[in-house]
Amino acid sequence: TITFAANNSSIADKLSADVLCDGTNDRRIIHESLKNLNGARANIEFKYGTYNLNIDGIDYYSDDPDFSDAKNCAIHIGNIMGNSATFNITSNLVGKNLCGIEGYDSDIIRDLKLNINFSSGASSVSILQGGSSSYFENITISCVSSSNDTELLWLNGGKFVNSKIIIDANQVFMLKIVYYPEFGYKTT
């Protein structure tokens, strides 16, 4: 397990964490720390606090073909225990397919609050992506994306349980939730 603490985490959480985030470019700190695992799968714990993740198009995994699309994703690896941490995910990239959280098959991602704010220039946006047995639990998504093609969930048979999506009524975008038999519904 690798443990991260936010800039505003408690002193006790900071002392017990493996990695401290500074609140300015937490995505860089997180991805560089995960890269140091040299491809090993990890359980990732985020201590309670706020993490600022700006998708800047920088590929922190440039030498690892398994992460070729990670440069346009806020978090792209491992089982995550969030402890009700808040991820402020932003991007001003134009013409890119952006992703908030991507889990592999069998990844379990729990207890996160996601505040999403992408520029209108994104080609498409997926807030959560998961494979055939990905499991997302206790996730709260506040979507403020202004992309013309916003896909909140892309689960190839994965599960999305005990979670909620809060959509600001003042925002205009297309909402797509893809249907899979194991998942059970589709909204467009």
Side-chain angles (χ1 to χ4, degrees):
T1 299
I2 185 167
T3 304
F4 294 91
N7 186 48
N8 64 343
S9 292
S10 71
I11 292 173
D13 283 347
K14 288 179 180 180
L15 291 173
S16 66
D18 300 307
V19 180
L20 299 177
C21 294
D22 63 13
T24 57
N25 192 352
D26 295 336
R27 180 179 174 270
R28 178 189 55 78
I29 293 168
I30 293 164
H31 278 258
E32 286 178 351
S33 299
L34 297 175
K35 182 179 179 178
N36 289 334
L37 297 174
N38 295 318
R41 294 293 302 248
N43 292 321
I44 304 165
E45 180 179 359
F46 290 94
K47 297 294 188 178
Y48 179 80
T50 301
Y51 299 82
N52 295 310
L53 308 169
N54 180 45
I55 302 172
D56 50 15
I58 296 174
D59 186 1
Y60 299 105
Y61 300 101
S62 59
D63 57 347
D64 190 337
D66 289 339
F67 297 100
S68 61
D69 59 349
K71 66 183 176 183
N72 297 328
C73 191
I75 299 290
H76 183 274
I77 188 171
N79 295 314
I80 295 176
M81 172 55 73
N83 296 306
S84 296
T86 298
F87 284 1
N88 292 326
I89 302 174
T90 60
S91 181
N92 291 318
L93 293 178
V94 174
K96 302 293 183 184
N97 300 321
L98 302 177
C99 173
I101 306 293
E102 183 170 7
Y104 293 116
D105 285 348
S106 76
D107 280 351
I108 299 171
I109 299 172
R110 290 190 166 113
D111 300 321
L112 287 174
K113 297 174 184 174
L114 308 177
N115 296 323
I116 311 295
N117 191 352
F118 293 146
S119 73
S120 59
S123 292
S124 67
V125 172
S126 292
I127 306 304
L128 294 176
Q129 290 187 14
S132 61
S133 55
S134 296
Y135 186 82
F136 295 92
E137 180 179 18
N138 295 330
I139 307 292
T140 300
I141 302 171
S142 295
C143 189
V144 194
S145 174
S146 54
S147 171
N148 293 327
D149 188 10
T150 297
E151 184 175 77
L152 290 180
L153 305 174
W154 189 95
L155 298 175
N156 186 9
K159 304 293 182 202
F160 183 69
V161 298
N162 297 329
S163 301
K164 61 184 173 181
I165 299 170
I166 302 166
I167 299 173
D168 185 340
N170 296 321
Q171 300 297 317
V172 178
F173 58 89
M174 181 191 307
L175 167 65
K176 295 192 317 186
I177 299 178
V178 180
Y179 175 81
Y180 292 97
E182 299 90 346
F183 187 58
Y185 62 84
K186 176 181 180 180
T187 303
T188 56

